[in-house]
Amino acid sequence: MNQILSVVTIFLALASSGKCSNVYSRKDFPKGFAFGAAASAYQWEGAVDEDGRTPSVWDTFVHSRNQANGEIACDGYHKYKEDVQLMVQTGLNAYRFSISWSRLIPNGRGHVNPKGLQFYKNFIELLVSHGIQPHVTLYHYDHPQYLDNEYGGWLNRRIIEDFTAYADVCFREFGNHVKFWNTINEANIYTIGGYSDGLTPPGHCSSRSICSSGNSSTEPYIVGHNLLLAHASASRLYKQKYKDIQGGSVGFSVFALGFTPTSSANDLIAVQRAKAFLFGWMLGPLTYGDYPDEMKRTLGSRLPVFTEEESALVKDSSDFIGVIHYLAASVTSVTHVKSQSDPGFFTDMGVSLKSMKLCLFSLDQYAIVPWAMEAVLEYIKESYGNPPIYILENGTPMKQILKDTPRIEFLQAYIGAVLNSIRKGSNARGYFVWSFMDLYELLSGYDYSFGLYYVNFSDPHRKRIPKLSAHWYSAFLKDNTTFLGSQGIAQLQSNFSSPY
């Protein structure tokens, strides 16, 4: 998930845990529902300076902040064949991953790197040969550093043309096998983290104690606007040039919190404002062609304006919505005058997202509140025309332990919540666990992990070992109901023997 949630100070809701006690099976889901797992290029591939790949803003950011990095990560670049075999053994019918723009097109435009191209072709074809459906993300926070150096990256509208050309290469070279394209990964949180709070690449914000450059009051909205236009441009290209031949679809993903008011009537209003900013910022233009009125009133001239042509381009440009969901937030209305000395997205939103801990990763796992998943899917259904939805990330962080029973309880509850939402009319069509294996995580490095498979990062061979959760998910995917429900989990736990 990239741990972007440290960007927000959030409340891990202490409401009734809502753990699912009802046993369900895979057969209860609609025919064709995709069950998979996920990773991203920088977090999994490694090989950052091999075979023509150039630095991305992610490389630059982690080195500038002296953070742990993904230079080797899981070494997926060299171990992808082994990893596909693990996916087959697990029973995945879908796998979500991203393409490294700077591996495929090192300077961001122009020359295509043949070795990078061949790597992705080999990987995608291997997935397909084993009946695993590739879901490809084009942008996962990692545009080439070259473009930032040349013209400022996403702050400059020139990137719309370069991103569209990059997407064109991907559609042309991989589209015969790839039917699901997600253009931008959780665009709202990427923008807040990178251009409002400065905690993620490229590390822009107004605070000079944190960032060397940036303007938190304007840059997030400029970048968000350009992301929407770049997505829409790539989507139009696909529809005009490839869709009739390849038969795929193009979507856009957002990070989604389940909001609940803290106490007062004002907090109920604040929840609606929070939804307008976090959801409506991106889903409003994609559905209705414009930003929410709440954002327009609050931001005034700081919010870019769509031309008539741009509005028509963005509206209905997503065939599906990708949802990244992990947590709930308790919302309190902020009544004091907004501080000009503390600009940024959350100041503009005018709400406080309460938290028990300042740092997300002071907890070993997230609270299990599946009502939040149902609330997110219900809100999108009711507010944005019930589009097709793929839950592209859901999971919980823990220390790298093999007997990860709390992760199983989390996954069982949330998959059950997705099923409940479908029964209530949600158009959810797929669910992906974050993550298939332990990865490099942006803000926690290798201290906490989301993986179904343990990776020994101190081993040069990066050995993979299935955790208890991998066995549980595999049993679910193969429609073995033995380990479902609390009694089944207890049985699985008692049967599990660690290789150590």
Side-chain angles (χ1 to χ4, degrees), residues 26 29-35 93 133 135 180 390 429-430:
R26 183 174 182 175
F29 285 81
K31 185 178 179 180
F33 190 90
F35 276 106
N93 73 345
Q133 188 181 75
H135 285 242
F180 296 92
Y390 289 86
R429 298 186 181 185

Side-chain angles (χ1 to χ4, degrees), residues 434-454:
W434 185 273
S435 53
F436 183 61
M437 66 181 62
D438 294 342
L439 305 169
Y440 163 72
E441 296 288 353
L442 181 57
L443 294 182
S444 68
Y446 300 99
D447 293 336
Y448 284 78
S449 66
F450 289 75
L452 298 172
Y453 284 81
Y454 168 82

Side-chain angles (χ1 to χ4, degrees), residues 307-368:
T307 66
E308 228 177 277
E309 181 182 357
E310 289 170 346
S311 177
L313 176 68
V314 172
K315 184 180 179 182
D316 298 325
S317 61
S318 264
D319 297 318
F320 64 87
I321 298 300
V323 167
I324 283 78
H325 174 71
Y326 295 90
L327 294 164
S330 179
V331 178
T332 301
S333 180
V334 176
T335 57
H336 61 75
V337 178
K338 296 182 179 66
S339 170
Q340 297 304 310
S341 62
D342 184 29
F345 182 84
F346 293 105
T347 301
D348 290 333
M349 188 190 287
V351 304
S352 173
L353 303 180
K354 298 289 186 179
S355 70
M356 290 181 61
K357 304 287 184 180
L358 179 62
C359 177
L360 182 65
F361 294 99
S362 59
L363 296 180
D364 282 338
Q365 68 267 341
Y366 297 166
I368 301 177

Side-chain angles (χ1 to χ4, degrees), residues 159-181:
I159 201 169
I160 298 169
E161 181 179 351
D162 287 340
F163 179 80
T164 306
Y166 159 58
D168 193 13
V169 171
C170 294
F171 297 152
R172 182 182 72 236
E173 298 293 343
F174 312 130
N176 288 336
H177 294 299
V178 176
K179 304 307 175 189
F180 296 92
W181 299 96

Side-chain angles (χ1 to χ4, degrees), residues 1-169:
M1 154 194 126
N2 315 318
Q3 280 64 298
I4 304 287
L5 296 174
S6 291
V7 172
V8 291
T9 307
I10 52 184
F11 172 73
L12 300 182
L14 289 179
S16 166
S17 70
K19 296 181 183 179
C20 290
S21 58
N22 295 328
V23 175
Y24 56 85
S25 74
R26 183 174 182 175
K27 288 181 181 176
D28 292 317
F29 285 81
K31 185 178 179 180
F33 190 90
F35 276 106
S40 82
Y42 186 76
Q43 295 174 274
W44 170 72
E45 287 179 4
V48 296
D49 56 0
E50 291 186 39
D51 293 344
R53 181 190 180 278
T54 60
S56 72
V57 290
W58 211 334
D59 297 273
T60 303
F61 177 81
V62 295
H63 286 291
S64 69
R65 302 288 178 94
N66 197 28
Q67 294 182 3
N69 61 67
E71 290 183 358
I72 302 175
C74 305
D75 198 24
Y77 186 73
H78 299 111
K79 295 174 72 68
Y80 72 92
K81 293 179 182 178
E82 174 186 334
D83 290 346
V84 172
Q85 288 303 314
L86 288 179
M87 296 175 204
V88 174
Q89 292 169 23
T90 306
L92 302 188
N93 73 345
Y95 185 68
R96 181 206 174 204
F97 64 97
S98 71
I99 290 173
S100 166
W101 188 347
S102 59
R103 191 182 297 283
L104 187 63
I105 306 176
N107 288 337
R109 64 175 176 277
H111 168 70
V112 176
N113 175 20
K115 291 186 176 179
L117 177 64
Q118 194 60 52
F119 166 70
Y120 289 114
K121 280 191 172 182
N122 292 343
F123 181 43
I124 289 168
E125 288 172 8
L126 189 61
L127 287 169
V128 172
S129 72
H130 286 287
I132 299 171
Q133 188 181 75
H135 285 242
V136 175
T137 295
L138 293 176
Y139 185 71
H140 201 114
Y141 314 150
D142 55 351
H143 60 277
Q145 182 63 42
Y146 184 89
L147 299 183
D148 241 41
N149 294 344
E150 183 181 15
Y151 57 66
W154 286 108
L155 286 166
N156 193 311
R157 289 174 69 100
R158 287 176 59 185
I159 201 169
I160 298 169
E161 181 179 351
D162 287 340
F163 179 80
T164 306
Y166 159 58
D168 193 13
V169 171

